[in-house]
Amino acid sequence: MTAPITAGDAFHSIDGSYNFAYLDEQTKRMIRRTLLKAIAIPGYQAPFGGREMPMAYGWGTGGIQVTASIIGVDDCLKVIDQGADDTTNAVSIRRFFKRVAGVAVTEATAEATIIQTRHRIPEAPLTEDQIIVYQVPQPEPLRKLEPREAETRKMHAYSEYGLMHVKLYEDIARHGEITTTYDYPVEVNARHVMAPSPIPKFDNPKMQMMPALQLFGAGREKRIYAIPPYTQVRSLDFDDHPFAVQTFDTPCGLCDATGVFLDEVILDDKGDHMFVCSDSDHCKGRRQAGHVGPRAAAAARLGFPGSAGDGA
Amino acid sequence: MTRSEPLMEAAGVGHIYAGGQVGCEDVSFRLYPGEVLGIVGESGSGKSTLLSCLAGALEPSSGQVKFDVGRQGLRDVFQLSEPERRLLMRTEWGIVRQNPRDGLRMSVSAGGNVGERLMAVGERHYGQIRDQALDWLGRVEIAADRVDHLPRTFSGGMQQRVQIARILVSRPRLVFMDEPTGGLDVSVQARLLDLLRGLVRDLGVAAVVVTHDLAVVRLLSDRLMVMRHGRVVEHGLTDRVLDDPQHPYSQLLVSSVLQA
């Protein structure tokens, strides 16, 4: 984000058919106003006039509108889908912004100024110079328990959050522990309870006092919310069942990383499998630095993407 | 039981719906701690409208509903700010609905339903919440092994009892009951009434019971109001009103009950 681009600049995308970053300038203004409101009240779901985007709801229309409103010509965009940079959603959104904004894109977390994400926060710590934009399918953390919108708004307004613990209670009563593993509710700035979007609860602690600005866009529900840099973000829990993140018994099969979020990958039809970093950029960086995981050889033999055996 | 300060006071409470339909008119009474007030009347007599006004769900178009909020004494319920009123409703009050589906969260286990009010006032220790839920389910005669079952797997009478436990767990001072035995068969009704009477007496909870069933008020209530066309036509001690009704409508009501 550098010099603001105004309507008067008549800035055009590289193919000339669209305004810079697809949205018209008035829409961007409206979204920026909503963003300011959302940042001013951390965790509050600010309604905005969501636009139809050239893709289906559920594909990140909220996140894209937020990104389109804050991106500038000098920005460098990274898009994550399930931690990876090379999956469908990430590739198509990256291509979309390359075409309608002509901005630089990257897969390296450290190089990016704006990171649009679905389902993960990168393993590498984010900095004050970065903004992370989350795609949110369901912004209302209370929705599954209280279907009435008028009622949930009041519950937020009056800080009536007992119901959120009913959900956690149900988990423990049925399974002996809190089994909510993604979209795990958090309390922001000791005030609003917020859905952190479907990131694994493993990533929840990264939101606490994060130096980067965090923006959340829900396209279908037309809500924007935000966590300003260095804000308290606490995951809800019980005194006798404290919040805990997932742990993994094995390191990443490709890069030997520990303390990161791992995905299970099936290797053959005989039950062989391995765990690899969900954050593909983090894994790549470690492999380039010379780290070799216990399953690297097997992965190379199978031509696993990113491994030594990958033709690319 | 001290009878010094009323717990609730209704003064000229009336509600006229948009369109001029009279819900209830000029209802006044005082309810003292631990007292049970019965409200009877035929369908359409304004019982439910009055209950909604008293329970803070419907703002009356005339009159006042005051509740003893503690240190500040009697306060007009509708002058309280909305968060204050909602806090009152989920701590000091409770409403037992005629249909348990309206009063329970059907997708949440019995234990979760009972624990909700505890969590709503900041209880954050799972073990303690569960112990209290088990204790209260026991008091309403629901077996401990049903604590994690969903209310929809329960019979109608059991659902009604879960609803009662869910409210009493926060130790309210006042409970509103809207046809608490409606839709239950006679033997289940009798057991539920027996249970309710025991709980109300043990806990010293005041209650306002709205019903069309005279047997319910005979068993539960200390005082009785008879309503017709939105107005209170007779008001007195339950036994006096039922055994010696003065108003023609009360006489009709009492004599319509078949003596088994």
Side-chain angles (χ1 to χ4, degrees):
Chain A
M1 293 237 305
T2 51
I5 295 156
T6 64
D9 287 348
F11 195 95
H12 287 288
S13 61
I14 44 170
D15 75 354
S17 321
Y18 295 103
N19 187 34
F20 177 73
Y22 185 76
L23 293 174
D24 61 278
E25 295 302 318
Q26 286 304 319
T27 300
K28 289 191 209 169
R29 278 182 143 184
M30 174 269 294
I31 292 175
R32 287 173 196 150
R33 277 199 297 270
T34 311
L35 285 170
L36 290 176
K37 186 192 232 177
I39 293 165
I41 317 170
Y44 167 72
Q45 299 165 44
F48 76 109
R51 298 291 189 252
E52 293 284 335
M53 297 303 283
M55 63 187 67
Y57 288 127
W59 284 80
T61 53
I64 287 173
Q65 289 180 77
V66 170
T67 301
S69 308
I70 60 169
I71 203 163
V73 273
D74 298 332
D75 272 315
C76 183
L77 181 70
K78 171 182 165 78
V79 185
I80 312 171
D81 172 15
Q82 308 270 7
D85 293 274
D86 52 3
T87 45
T88 317
N89 203 233
V91 170
S92 48
I93 293 173
R94 208 160 51 221
R95 193 190 290 152
F96 174 79
F97 278 110
K98 230 162 127 178
R99 177 167 169 199
V100 300
V103 294
V105 294
T106 182
E107 294 191 3
T109 305
E111 286 173 15
T113 55
I114 298 174
I115 300 167
Q116 181 170 331
T117 183
R118 171 175 183 257
H119 296 196
R120 278 311 307 280
I121 297 173
E123 303 290 357
L126 302 184
T127 67
E128 288 178 3
D129 301 326
Q130 294 175 310
I131 298 175
I132 182 164
V133 178
Y134 299 78
Q135 301 169 199
V136 183
Q138 175 50 266
E140 180 49 73
L142 300 161
R143 180 62 69 238
K144 273 188 189 154
L145 295 145
E146 177 51 70
R148 293 168 294 180
E149 171 71 13
E151 184 66 15
T152 52
R153 282 203 206 182
K154 278 186 182 175
M155 291 162 88
H156 284 292
Y158 305 146
S159 285
E160 293 177 4
Y161 290 128
L163 198 53
M164 209 68 251
H165 276 84
V166 173
K167 184 167 177 254
L168 303 180
Y169 171 95
E170 287 294 288
D171 271 357
I172 304 174
R174 281 180 205 169
H175 309 291
E177 58 180 319
I178 297 174
T179 49
T180 305
T181 50
Y182 68 95
D183 211 357
Y184 191 105
V186 292
E187 182 194 73
V188 180
N189 199 26
R191 176 60 181 83
H192 280 91
V193 166
M194 187 194 93
S197 86
I199 59 171
K201 67 177 176 181
F202 182 88
D203 286 342
N204 274 20
K206 295 177 188 165
M207 306 176 99
Q208 157 76 351
M209 298 305 264
M210 185 192 273
L213 172 62
Q214 305 176 65
L215 304 174
F216 299 78
R220 187 191 286 115
E221 306 282 334
K222 298 181 172 51
R223 294 287 184 278
I224 284 172
Y225 49 104
I227 306 176
Y230 302 109
T231 302
Q232 292 281 355
V233 179
R234 189 178 65 83
S235 301
L236 300 181
D237 59 3
F238 283 105
D239 296 345
D240 49 344
H241 286 266
F243 173 78
V245 299
Q246 294 100 327
T247 54
F248 299 91
D249 302 331
T250 54
C252 169
L254 296 177
C255 76
D256 208 28
T258 53
V260 295
F261 193 74
L262 302 178
D263 285 336
E264 186 181 10
V265 177
I266 307 293
L267 292 177
D268 58 23
D269 56 2
K270 297 179 186 64
D272 193 18
H273 64 118
M274 67 172 176
F275 284 92
V276 297
C277 285
S278 141
D279 185 340
S280 58
D281 173 58
H282 183 75
C283 195
K284 194 165 115 193
R286 280 182 57 85
R287 275 182 276 120
Q288 281 169 356
H291 296 277
V292 179
R295 303 305 304 273
R301 203 164 50 243
L302 291 162
F304 194 79
S307 71
D310 181 13
Chain B
M1 208 165 292
T2 57
R3 291 223 148 188
S4 50
E5 289 298 315
L7 184 67
M8 175 175 255
E9 186 178 287
V13 173
H15 188 77
I16 295 170
Y17 288 101
Q21 183 69 35
V22 175
C24 57
E25 259 187 302
D26 196 27
V27 178
S28 302
F29 66 88
R30 280 180 172 177
L31 185 71
Y32 289 87
E35 190 181 33
V36 180
L37 174 70
I39 302 175
V40 293
E42 60 193 1
S43 291
S45 61
K47 306 187 299 277
S48 296
T49 304
L50 177 62
L51 194 76
S52 297
C53 290
L54 298 177
L58 179 69
E59 185 161 3
S61 44
S62 58
Q64 286 178 318
V65 179
K66 290 180 181 168
F67 183 76
D68 177 16
V69 291
R71 254 177 302 169
Q72 292 166 306
L74 284 177
R75 288 273 309 272
D76 188 333
V77 170
F78 292 94
Q79 295 298 313
L80 295 172
S81 68
E82 195 176 16
E84 282 178 308
R85 188 161 63 239
R86 285 169 67 103
L87 181 68
L88 204 65
M89 286 167 86
R90 63 172 193 269
T91 53
E92 306 248 353
W93 292 357
I95 305 177
V96 179
R97 310 261 181 203
Q98 177 174 4
N99 187 344
R101 280 164 198 283
D102 299 333
L104 290 176
R105 291 192 189 278
M106 297 308 278
S107 57
V108 170
S109 69
N113 264 294
V114 177
E116 181 179 341
R117 281 182 160 215
L118 299 172
M119 293 182 248
V121 294
E123 178 65 71
R124 293 290 179 265
H125 191 284
Y126 173 82
Q128 287 168 9
I129 293 167
R130 192 163 174 86
D131 287 347
Q132 289 205 52
L134 281 168
D135 177 42
W136 276 98
L137 287 172
R139 291 205 212 184
V140 296
E141 298 168 16
I142 287 176
D145 60 358
R146 301 298 302 270
V147 62
D148 293 332
H149 293 192
L150 293 180
R152 67 175 141 80
T153 65
F154 290 3
S155 69
M158 286 170 80
Q159 289 179 358
Q160 203 60 293
R161 281 180 276 145
V162 174
Q163 205 191 164
I164 290 162
R166 168 184 159 88
I167 287 163
L168 293 181
V169 70
S170 70
R171 295 287 185 150
R173 289 190 289 160
L174 176 57
V175 175
F176 298 98
M177 299 185 209
D178 189 4
E179 306 275 8
T181 57
L184 301 179
D185 70 53
V186 196
S187 61
V188 175
Q189 269 191 29
R191 276 186 55 207
L192 184 72
L193 283 173
D194 211 34
L195 181 79
L196 269 177
R197 188 166 58 164
L199 288 173
V200 166
R201 292 283 177 266
D202 289 350
L203 302 168
V205 184
V208 176
V209 183
V210 162
T211 182
H212 59 265
D213 187 343
L214 295 183
V216 171
V217 290
R218 173 80 88 176
L219 269 169
L220 280 180
S221 66
D222 303 307
R223 278 192 300 145
L224 189 60
M225 291 200 316
V226 183
M227 289 188 73
R228 193 186 189 206
H229 298 329
R231 288 184 165 274
V232 175
V233 294
E234 190 162 353
H235 184 185
L237 294 176
T238 303
D239 289 347
R240 207 278 294 150
V241 174
L242 292 182
D243 294 339
D244 181 21
Q246 303 291 308
H247 190 274
Y249 176 70
S250 311
Q251 292 168 355
L252 179 75
L253 198 68
V254 171
S255 63
S256 332
V257 179
L258 286 175
Q259 300 297 324

